[in-house]
Amino acid sequence: MSPTSRRSRKYVAETVKRVGHIGGFFNNAGIESTLNPTEDFGSDEFSKVVDINLSDVFYGLKHVLKIMRAQGSGSVVNTASVGGIRGVGNQSGYVAAKHGVVGLTRNSAIAPGAIMTPMVEESLKQIDPQNWEKVGESFVEPNPMKRFGKPEEVGQLVAFLLSGDAGFINAAVIPIDGGQSYKY
């Protein structure tokens, strides 16, 4: 069994031990990488990004769905990315993995766009460490909202999708990106 599968099995088992069941599962795995054109993208780095961004999602599903099937219920929200529904320059591994998440799940996957997280901040700093905030402003300029999203906004969507109010939403990829995926 791979280390990724063992990690996933461990956190699922620990949750069942502590809580007794799994009613909702927010399957959110993601790292970016060094920004490089495809031909310069390192093989080890590609493998690492795909392992975390796609394999971790797969193994999370693999282990949690067994529990949910035995329980007879449960909801799953998998996070892909805008990078899972369109290309992103110099992010070959990330985009390949996130497209894989969309293809793997097609089940209440959300596709966050430019959400200001530490991962996004680090990517902006790769472009210009001294003026990364200015780089960020230009990055979101084409976005109709003209700003980065907030993690709380993604959390609100996830909470809704995991609630009983979203029971008939299935096989959907929901962009939460301020219109970003429609502008590019």
Side-chain angles (χ1 to χ4, degrees), residues 1-80:
M1 180 181 297
S2 76
T4 303
S5 182
R6 278 194 291 278
R7 277 193 314 268
S8 299
R9 187 170 69 180
K10 183 178 177 184
Y11 71 69
V12 169
E14 185 64 28
T15 300
V16 172
K17 181 179 170 187
R18 287 185 185 189
V19 181
H21 72 285
I22 298 178
F25 179 51
F26 179 35
N27 201 2
N28 185 35
I31 62 168
E32 284 190 313
S33 60
T34 307
L35 302 175
N36 278 317
T38 301
E39 66 272 17
D40 296 329
F41 209 89
S43 299
D44 289 342
E45 189 166 18
F46 184 87
S47 293
K48 178 182 176 184
V49 171
V50 170
D51 189 43
I52 290 170
N53 291 359
L54 178 57
S55 297
D56 277 0
V57 170
F58 167 75
Y59 288 116
L61 283 172
K62 175 182 175 64
H63 297 298
V64 83
L65 290 175
K66 288 178 184 175
I67 302 299
M68 289 180 172
R69 189 168 315 281
Q71 294 171 171
S73 66
S75 298
V76 175
V77 173
N78 293 316
T79 302

Side-chain angles (χ1 to χ4, degrees), residues 101-128:
V101 170
V102 169
L104 175 66
T105 63
R106 281 289 177 187
N107 187 352
S108 297
I110 61 172
I115 308 298
M116 184 45 75
T117 62
M119 185 174 82
V120 169
E121 184 178 320
E122 287 304 310
S123 289
L124 296 172
K125 287 178 179 175
Q126 281 187 55
I127 297 167
D128 187 342

Side-chain angles (χ1 to χ4, degrees), residues 88-156:
V88 178
N90 296 325
Q91 290 285 330
S92 298
Y94 183 81
V95 169
K98 292 303 182 174
H99 270 76
V101 170
V102 169
L104 175 66
T105 63
R106 281 289 177 187
N107 187 352
S108 297
I110 61 172
I115 308 298
M116 184 45 75
T117 62
M119 185 174 82
V120 169
E121 184 178 320
E122 287 304 310
S123 289
L124 296 172
K125 287 178 179 175
Q126 281 187 55
I127 297 167
D128 187 342
Q130 305 304 318
N131 298 304
W132 66 271
E133 288 151 327
K134 199 73 160 159
V135 172
E137 289 172 15
S138 65
F139 181 79
V140 296
E141 179 59 33
N143 186 321
M145 300 293 289
K146 306 280 190 237
R147 68 171 177 86
F148 282 94
K150 300 173 192 161
E152 301 83 34
E153 292 170 309
V154 176
Q156 291 166 350

